[in-house]
Amino acid sequence: MKSLLLLVGLMFSYTCFAQKNKVVSDSTKFNRYLLQHTSSFTFDGHKPSGAGWDILEKQFADNQFVAWGEYHNSTVLSQLSSYALEVGSRYGFKNWCVEVSPFVASELMRFAASANPADSLLMVSKDHPNYGTFPFFKTTEDAQMLVTAKKYKYHIWGIDQEFQLAFPYAINHVYNAQSAKIKQTYKPVRDSLLAKWWMPAVKLLDSLRNAVPQPIYKRVLDDIKVSRTIYYEDNSLMRATLMKKNFYQYYDQTKTKNEKVFFKLGANHLAKGLNLMTHLYDIGNSVYELSQRNQTNFTNVYFIVRYTTEDGRIIDDLASTENEYPKEFLQLYDKDKWVVVDLRPFRVRYRNDKTLTDDTYQIIDKYDFVVVSPEVQK
């Protein structure tokens, strides 16, 4: 009987204690941390200034791998990335990993060394002005990144598949590098490949491949063959596997395993854990685990944009019912500043009580920083 009374007393005391100390909701915790761990910086197109940038710059000092997860086709973000390349070089970064194929990376290196990289890019993309022939490299601001990479002696690593719009460029490049005899014999093959350039026939690719003697050009054609399959099957697993394979081919050739790498890829590729869209372990998770193996560090930054334009209208992602980015971060938008949220202190025991959106919980788990851009993207 005494034991029963004691148990009832303990339960009563616990209930009273719980009532006096109500469980704090996730949204309350989140907003409290926002006040403590949000900063900002301004950017005039040349040099950023402010506490937010100081935090981002410090990541180059503290990490072997710094990953900027971008929203694509932003001239402003290209300008900021150009400055990041300059800053990274001060901390020993010498490799720049981008979302292009190995072949296109070699072409970007060649353009960077040319007298006018902007003219080279514009000339290549003249047939595809909206998207560019090379993914995410088509503007004068993109060319400035190449100039900066050249100035600070970066190696450009292209780890992605071949971009579909680059198929004709790559096929012509391989063909034009051959002897007069091979070109004469295989001109019908080249012409047939270009006639259906968006999905070239495998037999024709293999025919040309078997004729060219240079291993580097055989690989270009092999990459096109793999990429056409990825496009045809919409095969995200094949693409993620290819990105890892290409990365390690570059990485294994470095002089030391602690060489630093700056990544500028689409944000979803750079998540820790599963990719938010494909739900696969992508290149970001692989590099994160590599940093643990090396006993170095990896940090990833999730860049988001609130306002875009479509047919002359400004679209507010915060007001959309199908918003691309979490509303909890979109509401931090400042038209004059880049807003930086350090998510690392947020990794407390969230209860997943649905007072935050599911996307917000995942961003906190998968990224170290969120940066809200002031850009109205065109």
Side-chain angles (χ1 to χ4, degrees), residues 56-68:
L56 294 182
E57 180 170 331
K58 189 174 185 300
Q59 304 317 304
F60 289 97
D62 294 345
N63 295 274
Q64 179 183 4
F65 305 111
V66 173
W68 277 20

Side-chain angles (χ1 to χ4, degrees), residues 24-34 323 325-332 341 343 346-365:
V24 179
S25 70
D26 287 358
S27 59
T28 300
K29 291 180 184 178
F30 179 86
N31 290 327
R32 183 173 65 206
Y33 289 128
L34 273 183
N323 51 296
Y325 302 109
K327 294 179 181 292
E328 286 86 346
F329 297 115
L330 291 172
Q331 65 186 359
L332 300 175
V341 184
L343 295 177
F346 285 63
R347 293 183 185 132
V348 295
R349 294 182 179 178
Y350 280 100
R351 299 173 62 247
N352 204 20
D353 62 12
K354 303 304 180 183
T355 56
L356 296 173
T357 59
D358 289 340
D359 287 348
T360 301
Y361 290 113
Q362 293 202 59
I363 297 301
I364 291 171
D365 287 341

Side-chain angles (χ1 to χ4, degrees), residues 26-97:
D26 287 358
S27 59
T28 300
K29 291 180 184 178
F30 179 86
N31 290 327
R32 183 173 65 206
Y33 289 128
L34 273 183
L35 292 174
Q36 299 171 4
H37 301 289
T38 299
S39 55
S40 63
F41 65 92
T42 58
F43 181 53
D44 62 3
H46 301 284
K47 184 177 181 180
S49 177
W53 176 258
D54 294 341
I55 291 172
L56 294 182
E57 180 170 331
K58 189 174 185 300
Q59 304 317 304
F60 289 97
D62 294 345
N63 295 274
Q64 179 183 4
F65 305 111
V66 173
W68 277 20
E70 66 174 7
Y71 54 93
H72 289 313
N73 300 312
S74 166
T75 56
V76 180
L77 197 50
S78 290
Q79 291 175 319
L80 187 63
S81 298
S82 185
Y83 188 77
L85 287 166
E86 177 181 344
V87 167
S89 70
R90 301 174 196 166
Y91 297 99
F93 280 77
K94 61 177 67 175
N95 305 298
W96 178 28
C97 190

Side-chain angles (χ1 to χ4, degrees), residues 303-347:
F303 283 85
I304 68 175
V305 60
R306 175 171 170 178
Y307 292 102
T308 57
T309 57
E310 184 177 310
D311 298 327
R313 296 181 299 112
I314 295 179
I315 307 299
D316 181 0
D317 196 37
L318 181 61
S320 173
T321 56
E322 298 181 357
N323 51 296
E324 182 174 356
Y325 302 109
K327 294 179 181 292
E328 286 86 346
F329 297 115
L330 291 172
Q331 65 186 359
L332 300 175
Y333 172 84
D334 186 318
K335 66 181 180 64
D336 298 315
K337 298 176 181 178
W338 298 70
V339 179
V340 179
V341 184
D342 185 347
L343 295 177
R344 295 170 299 178
F346 285 63
R347 293 183 185 132

Side-chain angles (χ1 to χ4, degrees), residues 205-224:
L205 287 170
D206 286 342
S207 176
L208 183 57
R209 182 195 186 282
N210 292 335
V212 302
Q214 307 97 324
I216 187 172
Y217 293 132
K218 288 181 182 291
R219 181 179 177 183
V220 172
L221 297 173
D222 287 340
D223 285 347
I224 292 175

